[in-house]
Amino acid sequence: MSGDDDRVPVDTADVWPEDAEAEEAVVVNWFAREGSRVEAGADLLEFQVEKVSVDVPAPVSGTLVEIALPEDAEFERGAIAAWIRPE
């Protein structure tokens, strides 16, 4: 595989709190850096919605190739936070 087709998105909708009425959140902290290796299930970032902090796990093991939402970025439910190139 080559190019961007083999990247896996880190989707914020997958962990959005079911009881949250708000459709917007803010990135609080990244636990990994671009270019670092990540394990499936390991927390990549934390975001806050309606005063609730939510950790976002890596969907697959691989290399974090792009962070699309930097710290302090505001985003809507379902935004792609980052891209991982799986192993």
Side-chain angles (χ1 to χ4, degrees), residues 36-56:
S36 63
R37 186 180 184 293
V38 297
E39 294 289 332
D43 290 335
L44 295 179
L45 72 139
E46 173 188 9
F47 70 83
Q48 189 170 38
V49 59
E50 295 181 351
K51 298 183 181 181
V52 174
S53 292
V54 179
D55 290 336
V56 181

Side-chain angles (χ1 to χ4, degrees), residues 4 6 9 11 15 19-20 22 25 28 31 33-34 38 40-41 43 45-46 54 58 66 69 74-75 82-85:
D4 293 339
D6 58 345
D11 190 340
V15 294
D19 59 348
V28 176
F31 305 124
R33 304 242 181 270
E34 279 187 9
V38 297
D43 290 335
L45 72 139
E46 173 188 9
V54 179
E66 180 184 345
L69 298 173
E74 294 181 9
F75 65 93
W83 296 91
I84 297 173
R85 181 158 293 121

Side-chain angles (χ1 to χ4, degrees), residues 15-33:
V15 294
W16 202 271
E18 291 181 17
D19 59 348
E21 293 182 18
E23 292 294 320
E24 293 184 344
V26 63
V27 176
V28 176
N29 189 29
W30 272 94
F31 305 124
R33 304 242 181 270

